[in-house]
Structure formats: structure tokens, C-alpha cells
Amino acid sequence: MKRSILRGTPRRAAALLAAALTVTAFCAADAVARSYPFGPRTRAVNDLGNQYVPFHAHLWDLLHGRSDGGLLVNWQSGFGSSFLPDLGTYLSSPFALLVVVFPRDEIDLAVYVITVLKTACAGAAMAWLLLRLRPGRWWAAGLLGAAYALCGWSLADASYNPMWLDGLVALPLLCLVGEWALDGRRRLLGVLVVALAWIANFYTAYMATLGAGLFLLLRLWLSGLPRRRALAAAGRATATVALGVGLAAPLVTVVYFGTKHAYPGRVTHFTPVATQDLLARLLPTTYGFASPALFVGTTALLLALALPFHRAAPVRVRAGWSLLVAAVALSLQWTPTHLAWHAFATPNGSPYRQTFVLCALLVVAAWHTLSYGVPAPRALAAATALLALVAAVASRSGLVHAYAWPVLLLSTAGALTGLLLLRRAEAAEAAEAAGAGGAGGVTVPEAGDGRGAEAGATTGDTTGDTGAARRPGLAGLAVRVRRAEAVRSGAAATASGGGSGRAAGSSADVDDGREAGHGRETGDGPGDGRGRGVGADPAPAGEDPAPAGEDPATAGRGEPRAGRAGARRRVGLAGLAVVVLVGAQLGEAAATSAVATRLRLNHLDDYASWGDRQREQAKAVSEADGWPAHRTDPGREQTVGNDPMVVGGQGAQYYSSLTADVLSRTLTALGGGWTSRGRNVQSLDNAVTDAVFSVGARVHSPPDQHQRWNPRDRGPVTVSRQDVPPLVTVRPATAPDARTGVSAFGPSPYRNQELLLGSRVYTVPALTVRTGDGARPARAPGDRPGTLVEAPRAKAAAHRPTIDAQCPARSEVYLWAPHYSGTARLTDSPAKPLTGRFTSDAAKIAAMQRLGTAPVSGHVRIELAPTRTGTVPDGAVGCLDTARLRTAVRGLKATGAEEVTVSDGTVRARLPAGSTGTAVIAAPRIAGWRCAADGAAAEPARTHFGLIAVPLDGSATSVTCTFHPPGLRLGAAVGGASLLTLVLLGTLTAVRRRRTARHPALHPATRPRERITSAL
């Protein structure tokens, strides 16, 4: 077969093998762990269930035209949140668009398939990169590519944070961009790759760009280029990254400014893990949330550890890659470099999100080891000793469980067995090639002798061998067999002089672009642009020249039977090595993934996949939906932190890394609860806030039965409706010097609700808190005025603490205790009392709860059942006068908007003639809103205690508010400038090429460049 047909096949084969191995191990692990979709255990843990699945569900609705809102505003969450920053954070990956082909009720499966595809593509990209760096066995590149995709970081951390997997894909692609910059080729494609990486997920793309920069610096040092050419290559790479990031700027800047306006959450400080924990994560089946998951497979780890001892590799290669791996490993543990990896902000959660860069470098180091031939037994013994030392130190870590040792022993045995079998195949191949060379005067260096490598290193060509010997093992078998045939036919001179150089130059392992006109992958001398050495006889492109003195029609016939038997033996040894190595890697990767999947369920919160609960909620919301005439809240008993995106409706619930500061503070001041330290705001089931935010229908579901701590209640899903004002109301004008921002709220949520409503509707009585034995408990220390309540030692009701207060008869009783954990219920109520459940800790506060109706006597006694020591604040009880609330609602409806229309980022309202005061839109005043009355010029919206406000002078009959995400204009300007620069550079390049074609005499052909990367 012509080589032109085979050109590029090894890379494609390696990429496909890496993807296949990755998918096999990933799915097998979930099957072993009995995890979704192969078993009953949910995989929706932590942010996967709370954020990623809901956001993909919202994207599904958006793509099918069923969402409330668009690209600019998500009207379903947080009473109206900026969606473009969330899109850039969670959904901008091209893979996310695949949700459109799945049914809506299979959204969990869609996210799973996307996760698997991302992981597989990461392995394929790494396999492609490895063969681009150095020629070698395609199956070995596929095996190591899968090792990268199935690294510990991918299996333990990124598998339930699918957006991070885009960084796993981006890193090898960005390293390829660096290779193109070295060659001065594919500049446009390089810019597009960088742009796509930063658009897909700028957070991990930032880390991947840093890693690719370190990769390129080492490549420049190893290339031996003159300083001027090295600086030029570095300049090309820098310009490529700058233009690519510039093209991604419209999304990146929006996300950046979104973080500036987000609720700050928790400020953390980095503390490096202990050495034994760090080394433990190199081993299979270890798991730890706050430690770097460095597992890359025992085979890759052994090869990386063997590189310093592999004498066949040039000294610069051994030293360079080993030092880079060590330096990056140390950077994980040092605070300044830790901050640099994470854009100078320690993340909330896992502090080792850059670990995938070190995993990639370990795999690349392993590839360099193997591409120079399987290490000698001494080198493998040294690597095994280092692995044993790592295991000995790691044995003191609590992250290593008993089952890790048999997995480690089996994988180590498999790796060593496979490598030794492969070395035997290499030795037999080299011996036969050497024997054939001796018969005809051809000398081929033995695999692993290192002589050619050292010679090449001294001349700037780090390939270290010549001709067919440059292609180790079975990758060069066909070339050597043809050479032996030529020797036995009496054509040794032709075979060694022209054939070897051509074989190396036209190898399918060499990039087709590097062959055409560059001469960098030629044999022993400057090339002619097609990979042949100077003086080689011409031959048709893609065909092997027939040895001198032999008829091409009869070339290769009559091979001795012994040679065929030897070839079969070598192929058998190599095939057995492949089976052993692949089996060992698949087994330990699947085991590691299965262990991580099971242990995550013990360490993190988890949520059920789409099922009957969500189906019933979605049906109830759909039947009650009346947007934008009123909102429909999916309910206080939430399933995940983003219920409105999953089951529909327009509620307060919202969980994102970009939850607006004004939203979180406003809802907290109104008595709302939150988790994740303020970034996961919850629904507030309260009649006053429902009137303020125009919640006309509310779904009531039983507690989620998937959560084992919830009471066992399988009641039906119901919907309550209430008369509420429209989305836009008119309020009296405030004094010019009056505070109307969130800072104007006071300590009492009841008074804050009245401030937003504009009417007094609550009675906040004095209260008395007593312990179970009737004593007065101690006051709470610190700046939280209130009373301490402790969990009783006895479970009997007589020993429970109580709250006594006096409310107006028949008023609705609410309890606000944000720092209390437990239950609360009225002991004497004319109607069936409700049981309020409160949960609080360092990361969450409890929401205000309605407990029932006050008796005719007005005496209210609330029985508490605390689960831990908490606080009942002063003014914890509020008594709502429902008659006053109805009167306030009628007044707001009478002066409110006559018609309201909402479309993505625009709200229009038609007001009664002569309206004066302030038009208030029941949506948080997040940064980016601009409003105008009638046809006046739009100005930044005012704020009415956290809501959007527009001043009215009595002449306006309508208001229009539009939303522009902060940073979008700046990003568009930067992106436009980058695009213009790219077009100008492309135009100049095209003009220069045309001039060269028209005046070839004025532009003499450039000599082929020296080889600089073939052995790196």
C-alpha cells in the first residue's frame, strides 16, 4: 500500500484507541460501582446535581424555545439573574450543545454522555500530541493518552465537575499550538484553538495555558535553536495566545465582571497537604477531596520514574522533563505558585484544581522514555525502587485503604511484565536488523545503546539515531525488513544511502505538514523537501524505491522461512505485551474510578436523578404557570439548589458561583435561607414576600425522600394560589437623601418585608425562651443578640425548650431563627399546626418558617426540638395580619402596571396615566440594568431596597428597562480588535505568498530548516 494512503493513520489510530480505552474504563467503573446509568446509585453529587445538571436542563429549554428568558437574563432563577456569565462558566463548551438531542427527562443521561465524550476526547488529543512530539508505537501513544484522560484528577474531581474537563481537553491542544508556533505554521488554526479553549471554560483554560507555556519553554531549550529563532518562536506563541484570548474576550470579560458582582462567599487560605498524602494520590484507588489526584496509571508512572535512568535518551531530554515534572509538583505545595495557578485566589473547595497539568507532564515524560525504547532492566529496577519508596511513604496516609495494595501489586506486575515482553520484542527486532546490516555492510544501532542519542544531542538533533533506527520497536519493523531484503539482494548501498533516509522522512509517524518542504524529519543530511537525504535517487511520492539491481516487480519475494518465523515471534511478544499493559491499565483505572464514585457518596451531598418527584413538580408548575402576569414558585421543599431550572417556574432559588451579591443580601434581609455560604439562595415561603415578588402560585411538595434525614412523608404535590400585584408596581417617592439600597435594611426581617411592601402588616411581640425544665437559658455570645438553645439530653417532649409570645388572634405565626437547627411547632393552634424544619451550620442559615395560626387567646407557645446548640434571636416571632396584607395588595394592584411584557433582557410596562413616585420592578437590581420612562434616554436603574426602580414625574405612561451584562461591551471591543488583527495578518500573509509566486527570482528558495523537534 502506498504510504501516502497511510500518512497520518498512526495518529488517528492512537487517538481512537485512547478514546476507546477511556470510554471502556469509565463506563466499566460505573458498572462496578453500580452508579447511574448502570446501577441504582446516583452520580449527581455536590455541584453535579445542584448546578451542572440544572444548567444543562435550562440550556435544553433555551435551545428548544421553552425557557423563560434568553442569553441575557434567566427569569427562572433568583427572580431574574444574569445568564451570560453562567453560560460562560457552565455551558459554553461545544459539548454542551449535545443536550439538544436527548429527551428532556433524560437530562442526567445527557450530562453523563457529555462527560464521557469530553474525557475520551482528552485522551485522543493527548495521544495525537505524543506522536507529534516523537515517533513511536501508535498503540503505546493510545495507551498513554488514555492514562492522561483517566488520571486521578479526571476520575475523582472533574467527573462531577464536567466544565473542568474542557481544560483536560484543552491542555494537549494548547501544547500542539506551541508545536505549531515552533514550526511557524498553522497560525490561524492555533488562534482558533486558543479561543475555543478559553470559551469552553476559561478557568481551566487559564491553568492549561500556563502548563502549555512551561511545556513550550522546555521544548525551546531542548531544541537547541539559536536565541533569535527561539525568541521568534516564543513571540509567535505569545501572539497566538493573545489573539485567541482576545477572540474569547466577549465571554471571558462577562464572566470576570460577573465574579466581581457575585456574593463573596468564603475566603479561604491555602494549606499544603502532608507529603504522605501527596504521594498517596499517585497510587491507584486512593481518594481525598482536598488532595491532588495525581494517579496516571502504574505503567505511565513507572516510565516517568525511569526517565532519569534511561541511557538511550539524551541527557538534556532526561534532565529537562524530569526537572519540569519535579518543579510543577513542588509548585502545587507552595502558596505563591498555588495562587498563580488559580488566578491569585484560593478556590472554595478543592485547592488542587491544576493537578491535571502535572498529570499531563507525567504522561509526556513517560512517552519520552518509551519512544527511545523500553528502558533497560536497571532503569526499570530503579523506577520500581522509587515506586516502592513512594508506596512506603504513602502507607502512612489515611487516604490509602487496604484494597489499594493488591491493586497496586497487580498493576505493577502487569506493567513490568508488559514492558519486559516489549523489550524482548525490541531486542529480537534489533538483533535481526543488525544481523542483516552486517551481511550487507549496514550498521544499525542497537535499541537502547544510547550511542546515537548522545551523538544527536551534541549536534542539536536530539533524535539520536538515523534512518529506520529512529523508529523504535515494531513501528520501524517494516522499514528494517525491507532493508534486510535489500541487503540479501545485493543492494545494501542503495538501501542504506537512500532508502533509510526516505523511510524516516516519509514515515506515517511524521506530520504531513512537517514533511512538505521543511526537511526536518529527514535522514542524515539536509532534505530535499520530501524527506529524502541529499543524493538519494528520485522516487515517486509515497512509494518505496526498489533496491538497485532488483526488478521492482519481484522485490521482496522469497523471504526466508526463518525470517518469517522470527517476525511472527516478535509480533506475538509485542501483542502479548499490549494485552498485558492494556489489561493492567484498564483494571486499575476502573478500580480507581469505582472507588472514587463510591467514596464521594460518603463525603459529599447527593441528589436523585430525574424521576417521579421531578415529573410531578414539573406538571404542577406547568399547570399553574402564568408568567409574566405572575410568578410560579416550584416550592420551599427543594430537590436541588436550582429547582426552577429543572422543573420550571420562576422562583428565588438560585445556586451559582456568580450569584449576585445584591440578591443574596436582599433575600437574607427578608428572612431567606441559603447554603454554600450565601451563593445558594433558597425559596422563601412567605405571604408578604410572595406579594412583593408577584408569586401568584406556589407548589408544595413533600420532603425529598432521597435525602435520608428528611421525614418520611409521601404526600401529594399541591399548589396554592394567592392574589398578588403585577410584576411592576408604583410606590410613593422617597426623600432625596433617604437610603434605598440593601444597606437600608435593619436587623428584623419582618420590618424589612414591610419596607419593601410599603405597609405595616406584622406584629413582632416580645418573647420568652425557656429550657425544658423551665429555666431561662443563657444569652448568645458575640454580636448576635439572642438566646442559646441546646439539644436536650432526653427526647421526651417535656424536656424540650419552648418560646412563648403574645400575637393577635387568628394571625399567622412565623418563626425566624437563621442560626437554629432542629424543628419547631405550635403546641396550641385552631388549625393543624405545621412543623418547621431549620438547618444551619457554618455554611448555611435557615429560612423563616410559617408555623400556623395563633389561637383566639393570642398566646403562642412554640415547642423546639434542637439537634445541636443554636440561637433564637430577639424578635424571632412575627405575627402576620392577613387582612392588612390583602389591603396592601389591593392598593399595589390599583396603582400598578396595566400591562407587563418580558422578553429576554427587556421589561416593558404600561402604567396608569399620571403615575408619580417610583416604578418598582420585582427583580433584583443586579449590575447591568438601564431604564427609561417613556421615550427618555436610558440611564442606570435606581434601586428600591434591592429591587429595580425608575423615577416617575407624572407624565410617563410606560417604563422600559433593558439589561446589558457588565463587561460585554469591553469584551466585544477586545474581540473585534483581535479579529481585525487576525484578518490583517492573514491578508499580509496572502499578499506575501502571491508576490512570491509571481516573482520567484526575487525570493530564492529557503534552505530546509534544521531538525529541532523530531526527538523531543
Side-chain angles (χ1 to χ4, degrees):
M1 183 181 291
K2 292 185 178 181
R3 288 208 184 116
S4 59
I5 297 176
L6 290 174
R7 183 174 297 159
T9 299
R11 291 188 190 174
R12 289 194 290 270
L16 289 174
L17 177 62
L21 293 177
T22 300
V23 172
T24 300
F26 197 100
C27 295
D30 288 332
V32 170
R34 301 186 67 205
S35 176
Y36 179 90
F38 303 103
R41 292 189 176 92
T42 179
R43 68 182 303 268
V45 300
N46 201 264
D47 289 347
L48 180 62
N50 257 336
Q51 290 181 311
Y52 303 117
V53 170
F55 274 112
H56 281 81
H58 185 72
L59 179 64
W60 192 98
D61 292 336
L62 189 65
L63 295 174
H64 286 84
R66 290 172 44 178
S67 67
D68 295 325
L71 290 176
L72 299 181
V73 178
N74 168 18
W75 286 107
Q76 293 183 255
S77 304
F79 291 139
S81 59
S82 179
F83 181 62
L84 203 54
D86 284 331
L87 177 72
T89 302
Y90 302 104
L91 300 171
S92 53
S93 171
F95 292 93
L97 297 175
L98 293 175
V99 297
V100 75
V101 302
F102 288 83
R104 180 62 165 77
D105 58 357
E106 294 289 351
I107 194 66
D108 296 275
L109 180 62
V111 174
Y112 181 82
V113 171
I114 289 171
T115 301
V116 175
L117 285 178
K118 285 185 179 183
T119 311
C121 287
M126 177 56 75
W128 192 281
L129 171 67
L130 295 179
L131 283 175
R132 176 63 173 77
L133 293 177
R134 275 189 56 78
R137 302 171 183 83
W138 66 270
W139 61 263
L143 189 68
L144 290 178
Y148 168 70
L150 297 169
C151 67
W153 179 88
S154 171
L155 299 176
D157 296 332
S159 61
Y160 69 95
N161 292 280
M163 66 176 186
W164 293 357
L165 289 171
D166 291 289
L168 195 73
V169 180
L171 180 55
L173 295 180
L174 293 175
C175 291
L176 278 173
V177 172
E179 292 295 297
W180 299 336
L182 274 173
D183 293 345
R185 301 165 49 243
R186 297 180 178 175
R187 298 180 183 180
L188 174 60
L189 181 58
V191 172
L192 295 179
V193 168
V194 173
L196 184 60
W198 279 73
I199 288 173
N201 183 249
F202 85 99
Y203 184 57
T204 50
Y206 165 79
M207 302 174 191
T209 304
L210 290 182
L214 296 174
F215 177 94
L216 177 61
L217 290 176
L218 179 57
R219 297 281 288 142
L220 287 171
W221 181 69
L222 292 176
S223 69
L225 279 175
R227 179 177 299 178
R228 184 174 180 179
R229 291 180 60 186
L231 290 176
R236 287 193 297 268
T238 302
T240 299
V241 171
L243 288 174
V245 175
L247 290 180
L251 202 58
V252 173
T253 55
V254 166
V255 177
Y256 172 78
F257 282 97
T259 60
K260 292 298 182 183
H261 296 290
Y263 189 78
R266 179 182 62 169
V267 178
T268 58
H269 300 282
F270 173 68
T271 301
V273 298
T275 302
Q276 59 264 29
D277 291 342
L278 178 71
L279 296 180
R281 298 311 303 278
L282 287 166
L283 306 181
T285 68
T286 59
Y287 175 80
F289 177 74
S291 57
L294 296 171
F295 167 79
V296 290
T298 306
T299 301
L301 181 58
L302 278 173
L303 288 172
L305 292 175
L307 180 58
F309 312 103
H310 192 25
R311 297 184 62 188
V315 174
R316 287 165 65 91
V317 172
R318 286 185 276 165
W321 288 106
S322 299
L323 289 175
L324 181 59
V325 168
V328 173
L330 292 175
S331 74
L332 269 62
Q333 295 287 84
W334 190 36
T335 299
T337 48
H338 158 84
L339 292 173
W341 279 113
H342 295 93
F344 302 97
T346 297
N348 292 322
S350 173
Y352 290 98
R353 300 179 182 183
Q354 79 281 36
T355 304
F356 71 100
V357 176
L358 180 55
C359 294
L361 294 178
L362 284 169
V363 169
V364 172
W367 173 250
H368 278 82
T369 302
L370 195 58
S371 66
Y372 285 102
V374 178
R378 288 184 179 180
L380 287 177
T384 305
L386 286 178
L387 179 59
L389 179 61
V390 168
V393 177
S395 64
R396 302 197 303 267
S397 171
L399 304 179
V400 181
H401 301 279
Y403 47 74
W405 301 118
V407 175
L408 176 62
L409 290 176
L410 289 174
S411 58
T412 303
L416 290 174
T417 301
L419 291 174
L420 291 175
L421 286 172
L422 188 58
R423 180 171 175 80
R424 289 189 62 185
E426 278 189 357
E429 178 187 19
E432 181 174 344
V442 178
T443 301
V444 180
E446 279 192 27
D449 65 359
R451 292 176 295 169
E454 298 295 349
T458 61
T459 61
D461 179 7
T462 53
T463 56
D465 46 21
T466 60
R470 183 181 297 111
R471 300 165 59 198
L474 296 180
L477 177 60
V479 176
R480 292 191 176 100
V481 169
R482 284 194 296 271
R483 180 183 297 173
E485 294 171 358
V487 171
R488 285 189 291 272
S489 301
T494 302
S496 60
S500 67
R502 175 166 173 75
S506 61
S507 165
D509 292 330
V510 180
D511 185 79
D512 53 305
R514 293 166 67 186
E515 299 166 351
H518 293 302
R520 295 180 55 194
E521 295 291 341
T522 58
D524 299 320
D528 64 353
R530 290 173 294 175
R532 295 193 298 273
V534 173
D537 294 332
E543 301 214 15
D544 296 323
E550 182 176 355
D551 186 352
T554 61
R557 293 183 182 177
E559 182 182 7
R561 184 177 302 173
R564 291 197 298 269
R568 285 196 297 269
R569 181 172 179 273
R570 290 192 303 273
V571 171
L573 286 172
L576 183 58
V578 172
V579 171
V580 173
L581 291 173
V582 169
Q585 178 163 305
L586 286 180
E588 63 176 334
T592 302
S593 180
V595 167
T597 299
R598 291 292 298 273
L599 292 182
R600 273 198 301 267
L601 292 174
N602 298 331
H603 289 81
L604 303 173
D605 52 318
D606 60 273
Y607 307 90
S609 303
W610 179 280
D612 292 339
R613 177 181 174 85
Q614 292 90 336
R615 194 174 294 109
E616 292 176 6
Q617 288 176 323
K619 180 181 178 181
V621 169
S622 177
E623 292 174 351
D625 195 16
W627 175 258
H630 66 80
R631 286 187 169 103
T632 300
D633 195 302
R636 175 75 187 89
E637 286 291 348
Q638 65 185 44
T639 307
V640 296
N642 278 305
D643 269 353
M645 296 189 200
V646 178
V647 300
Q650 311 83 29
Q653 274 185 278
Y654 180 46
Y655 179 28
S656 168
S657 297
L658 304 165
T659 301
D661 179 81
V662 63
L663 171 66
S664 186
R665 294 186 186 279
T666 299
L667 292 181
T668 301
L670 298 178
W674 46 249
T675 64
S676 298
R677 297 175 176 84
R679 292 191 172 182
N680 185 352
V681 293
Q682 301 174 343
S683 174
L684 180 58
D685 189 355
N686 179 275
V688 177
T689 55
D690 281 352
V692 168
F693 290 102
S694 190
V695 179
R698 177 173 290 277
V699 176
H700 302 275
S701 304
D704 184 8
Q705 300 300 289
H706 177 79
Q707 307 300 344
R708 56 185 178 275
W709 54 80
N710 282 340
R712 301 298 93 183
D713 181 358
R714 300 184 181 275
V717 174
T718 60
V719 178
S720 63
R721 299 176 183 269
Q722 47 271 352
D723 190 28
V724 294
L727 195 66
V728 179
T729 57
V730 177
R731 311 299 181 89
T734 57
D737 57 345
R739 293 190 305 159
T740 58
V742 178
S743 60
F745 285 128
S748 171
Y750 304 111
R751 299 304 178 215
N752 295 338
Q753 290 181 13
E754 292 173 338
L755 196 61
L756 265 179
L757 181 68
S759 301
R760 182 59 65 91
V761 292
Y762 278 109
T763 298
V764 182
L767 52 86
T768 302
V769 181
R770 297 188 182 276
T771 62
D773 56 6
R776 299 291 293 270
R779 297 288 295 176
D783 56 354
R784 295 176 183 171
T787 305
L788 286 177
V789 290
E790 299 179 353
R793 297 176 181 177
K795 295 184 178 180
H799 296 279
R800 292 175 182 173
T802 58
I803 301 174
D804 290 280
Q806 190 70 29
C807 287
R810 306 294 184 180
S811 61
E812 288 190 351
V813 179
Y814 287 86
L815 177 64
W816 170 66
H819 302 290
Y820 166 73
S821 287
T823 61
R825 63 187 299 273
L826 291 176
T827 59
D828 185 15
S829 175
K832 182 180 179 181
L834 305 174
T835 299
R837 291 184 292 115
F838 298 77
T839 304
S840 70
D841 56 29
K844 59 177 69 77
I845 64 172
M848 179 187 297
Q849 297 277 347
R850 177 175 174 266
L851 300 183
T853 305
V856 176
S857 65
H859 181 261
V860 172
R861 170 164 288 185
I862 302 173
E863 181 182 272
L864 304 178
T867 56
R868 63 167 67 96
T869 300
T871 305
V872 174
D874 298 338
V877 176
C879 312
L880 175 64
D881 188 326
T882 54
R884 289 184 180 180
L885 177 61
R886 287 192 294 269
T887 301
V889 168
R890 284 195 296 269
L892 291 174
K893 290 182 66 176
T895 60
E898 298 173 347
E899 182 183 6
V900 179
T901 58
V902 180
S903 60
D904 194 1
T906 302
V907 178
R908 293 184 176 88
R910 182 163 54 86
L911 304 177
S915 296
T916 59
T918 303
V920 177
I921 300 177
R925 202 298 189 195
I926 57 178
W929 280 106
R930 297 178 64 85
C931 298
D934 280 349
E939 298 179 351
R942 307 286 181 86
T943 179
H944 181 76
F945 306 109
L947 306 187
I948 302 171
V950 187
L952 302 175
D953 59 4
S955 62
T957 59
S958 66
V959 294
T960 301
C961 292
T962 56
F963 182 73
H964 303 277
L968 183 59
R969 288 190 178 91
L970 174 61
V974 174
S978 299
L979 181 61
L980 180 60
T981 303
L982 197 60
V983 170
L984 291 177
L985 290 176
T987 303
L988 292 175
T989 302
V991 170
R992 187 180 298 112
R993 288 177 178 173
R994 180 171 297 182
R995 288 180 179 176
T996 302
R998 289 180 178 178
H999 306 286
L1002 299 179
H1003 300 274
T1006 304
R1007 287 187 60 188
R1009 293 178 292 172
E1010 62 180 312
R1011 293 169 290 170
I1012 59 174
T1013 61
S1014 59
L1016 301 181

Coordinates of all heavy atoms in Angstrom, one line a residue, residues 909-942:
A909 N -43.5 48.0 30.7 CA -44.7 48.1 31.5 C -45.5 49.3 31.1 O -44.9 50.4 30.9 CB -44.4 48.1 33.0
R910 N -46.8 49.2 30.9 CA -47.7 50.3 30.7 C -48.4 50.7 32.0 O -49.0 49.9 32.6 CB -48.7 49.9 29.6 CG -49.7 51.0 29.2 CD -50.4 50.7 27.9 NE -51.1 49.4 28.0 CZ -52.3 49.2 28.5 NH1 -53.0 50.2 28.9 NH2 -52.8 48.0 28.4
L911 N -48.2 52.0 32.4 CA -48.6 52.5 33.7 C -49.9 53.3 33.5 O -50.2 53.8 32.5 CB -47.5 53.3 34.3 CG -46.2 52.7 34.4 CD1 -45.2 53.7 35.0 CD2 -46.2 51.4 35.3
P912 N -50.7 53.4 34.6 CA -51.8 54.3 34.6 C -51.4 55.7 34.4 O -50.3 56.2 34.8 CB -52.4 54.1 36.0 CG -51.9 52.8 36.5 CD -50.5 52.6 35.9
A913 N -52.2 56.5 33.7 CA -51.8 57.9 33.4 C -51.6 58.7 34.7 O -52.4 58.5 35.7 CB -52.9 58.5 32.5
G914 N -50.6 59.6 34.7 CA -50.4 60.4 35.9 C -49.7 59.7 37.0 O -49.7 60.2 38.1
S915 N -49.1 58.6 36.8 CA -48.3 57.9 37.8 C -47.1 58.7 38.3 O -46.4 59.2 37.5 CB -47.9 56.5 37.3 OG -48.9 55.7 37.0
T916 N -47.0 58.9 39.6 CA -45.9 59.6 40.2 C -45.2 58.7 41.2 O -45.8 57.8 41.8 CB -46.3 60.9 40.8 OG1 -47.3 60.6 41.8 CG2 -46.9 61.8 39.8
G917 N -44.0 59.1 41.6 CA -43.3 58.3 42.6 C -42.2 57.5 42.0 O -41.3 58.0 41.2
T918 N -42.2 56.2 42.2 CA -41.2 55.3 41.7 C -41.8 54.0 41.2 O -42.6 53.4 41.9 CB -40.2 54.9 42.8 OG1 -39.6 56.1 43.4 CG2 -39.1 54.0 42.3
A919 N -41.5 53.7 40.0 CA -41.9 52.4 39.4 C -40.9 51.3 39.9 O -39.7 51.5 39.7 CB -42.0 52.4 37.9
V920 N -41.4 50.3 40.5 CA -40.5 49.2 41.0 C -40.8 47.9 40.3 O -42.0 47.5 40.2 CB -40.8 49.0 42.5 CG1 -39.9 47.9 43.1 CG2 -40.4 50.3 43.3
I921 N -39.7 47.3 39.7 CA -39.8 46.0 39.1 C -39.4 45.0 40.1 O -38.4 45.1 40.7 CB -38.9 46.0 37.8 CG1 -39.4 47.0 36.8 CG2 -39.0 44.6 37.2 CD1 -38.5 47.1 35.6
A922 N -40.2 43.9 40.3 CA -40.0 42.9 41.3 C -38.9 42.0 40.8 O -39.1 40.8 40.6 CB -41.2 42.1 41.6
A923 N -37.7 42.5 40.7 CA -36.5 41.8 40.3 C -35.3 42.4 41.0 O -35.3 43.7 41.1 CB -36.3 41.8 38.8
P924 N -34.3 41.7 41.3 CA -33.1 42.3 42.0 C -32.4 43.2 41.1 O -32.3 43.0 39.8 CB -32.2 41.1 42.3 CG -32.7 40.0 41.4 CD -34.1 40.2 41.2
R925 N -31.9 44.3 41.6 CA -31.2 45.3 40.9 C -29.7 44.9 40.7 O -28.8 45.5 41.4 CB -31.3 46.7 41.6 CG -31.1 47.9 40.7 CD -29.8 47.9 40.1 NE -29.4 49.2 39.4 CZ -28.4 49.3 38.6 NH1 -27.6 48.3 38.4 NH2 -28.1 50.4 38.0
I926 N -29.5 43.9 39.9 CA -28.2 43.4 39.6 C -27.5 44.4 38.6 O -28.2 45.2 37.9 CB -28.1 42.0 39.0 CG1 -29.0 41.9 37.7 CG2 -28.6 41.0 40.0 CD1 -29.0 40.6 37.1
A927 N -26.2 44.5 38.6 CA -25.5 45.4 37.7 C -25.8 45.1 36.3 O -25.8 43.9 35.8 CB -24.0 45.3 38.0
G928 N -26.1 46.1 35.5 CA -26.3 46.0 34.1 C -27.7 46.5 33.6 O -27.9 46.7 32.4
W929 N -28.6 46.8 34.6 CA -29.9 47.3 34.2 C -29.9 48.8 33.9 O -29.3 49.6 34.6 CB -30.9 47.0 35.3 CG -31.4 45.6 35.3 CD1 -31.1 44.6 36.2 CD2 -32.4 45.0 34.4 NE1 -31.8 43.5 35.9 CE2 -32.6 43.7 34.8 CE3 -33.1 45.5 33.3 CZ2 -33.4 42.8 34.1 CZ3 -33.9 44.6 32.6 CH2 -34.1 43.3 33.0
R930 N -30.5 49.1 32.8 CA -30.7 50.5 32.4 C -32.2 50.7 32.1 O -32.8 49.9 31.4 CB -29.9 50.9 31.2 CG -28.4 50.8 31.4 CD -27.6 51.1 30.2 NE -27.8 52.5 29.8 CZ -27.1 53.5 30.2 NH1 -26.1 53.3 31.1 NH2 -27.3 54.8 29.8
C931 N -32.8 51.9 32.6 CA -34.2 52.1 32.4 C -34.5 53.5 31.9 O -33.7 54.4 32.0 CB -34.9 51.9 33.8 SG -34.7 50.2 34.5
A932 N -35.7 53.6 31.4 CA -36.2 54.9 30.9 C -37.7 55.0 31.0 O -38.4 54.0 30.8 CB -35.7 55.1 29.4
A933 N -38.2 56.1 31.3 CA -39.6 56.4 31.3 C -40.1 57.0 30.0 O -39.5 58.0 29.5 CB -40.0 57.3 32.5
D934 N -41.1 56.4 29.4 CA -41.5 56.8 28.0 C -40.3 56.7 27.1 O -39.6 55.8 27.0 CB -42.2 58.1 28.0 CG -43.6 58.0 28.5 OD1 -44.1 56.9 28.6 OD2 -44.2 59.1 28.8
G935 N -40.1 57.8 26.3 CA -39.0 57.8 25.3 C -37.8 58.5 25.8 O -36.9 58.8 24.9
A936 N -37.6 58.7 27.0 CA -36.4 59.4 27.5 C -35.2 58.5 27.3 O -35.3 57.3 27.1 CB -36.6 59.7 29.0
A937 N -34.0 59.1 27.4 CA -32.7 58.4 27.3 C -32.6 57.4 28.5 O -32.9 57.7 29.7 CB -31.6 59.3 27.3
A938 N -32.1 56.2 28.2 CA -31.9 55.2 29.3 C -30.8 55.6 30.2 O -29.8 56.1 29.8 CB -31.7 53.8 28.6
E939 N -31.0 55.4 31.5 CA -30.0 55.6 32.5 C -29.9 54.4 33.4 O -30.8 53.6 33.4 CB -30.4 56.8 33.3 CG -30.5 58.1 32.6 CD -30.9 59.3 33.5 OE1 -31.3 59.0 34.6 OE2 -30.9 60.4 33.0
P940 N -28.8 54.3 34.1 CA -28.6 53.2 35.0 C -29.8 53.1 36.0 O -30.2 54.2 36.5 CB -27.3 53.4 35.8 CG -26.5 54.2 34.8 CD -27.5 55.1 34.1
A941 N -30.4 52.0 36.2 CA -31.6 51.8 37.0 C -31.3 52.2 38.5 O -30.2 52.0 39.0 CB -32.1 50.4 37.0
R942 N -32.3 52.8 39.1 CA -32.1 53.1 40.6 C -32.5 51.8 41.3 O -32.8 50.8 40.8 CB -33.1 54.2 40.9 CG -33.0 55.5 40.1 CD -31.8 56.3 40.4 NE -31.8 57.5 39.6 CZ -32.4 58.6 40.0 NH1 -33.1 58.7 41.1 NH2 -32.3 59.7 39.2

